[in-house]
Amino acid sequence: MRTLNAITLLLIVIGGLDWLLIGLFQFDPIGLLLGGSGAILARIAYTLIGVSALWQLLPIFGVVQRRDAEANIKRSNIHRP
């Protein structure tokens, strides 16, 4: 689960940087690298970025809970006498 969260976060950052470049310079690096914004590979990349954003939204709305082992250990140590 932790790996999936890291991958989806990376894809969201890539997508955000892509939109930054589109907004500032009308330059689409994902589209350029994958054969144009309408090419099937670019559409797959855009879809993966969008699904990654949805995945990262799930914990905000309480659909899934992320459990961080380190946070759980720290909390359990606080309650010990």
Side-chain angles (χ1 to χ4, degrees):
M1 191 73 120
R2 194 174 187 109
T3 304
L4 181 61
N5 286 333
I7 291 168
T8 57
L9 186 59
L10 177 65
L11 286 173
I12 291 170
V13 169
I14 290 169
L17 293 174
D18 186 57
W19 275 108
L20 175 69
L21 293 172
I22 290 170
L24 292 177
F25 307 112
Q26 295 181 348
F27 173 67
D28 180 9
I30 292 176
L32 180 69
L33 291 172
L34 299 177
S37 61
I40 189 69
L41 287 176
R43 293 181 60 198
I44 291 169
Y46 297 138
T47 301
L48 288 173
I49 291 168
V51 170
S52 296
L54 292 174
W55 178 259
Q56 291 293 327
L57 279 175
L58 293 178
I60 293 172
F61 295 109
V63 177
V64 294
Q65 293 180 357
R66 291 187 187 163
R67 295 185 186 246
D68 185 359
E70 185 177 305
N72 287 337
I73 291 169
K74 286 180 183 176
R75 269 186 259 148
S76 66
N77 287 337
I78 290 172
H79 298 295
R80 289 185 184 169

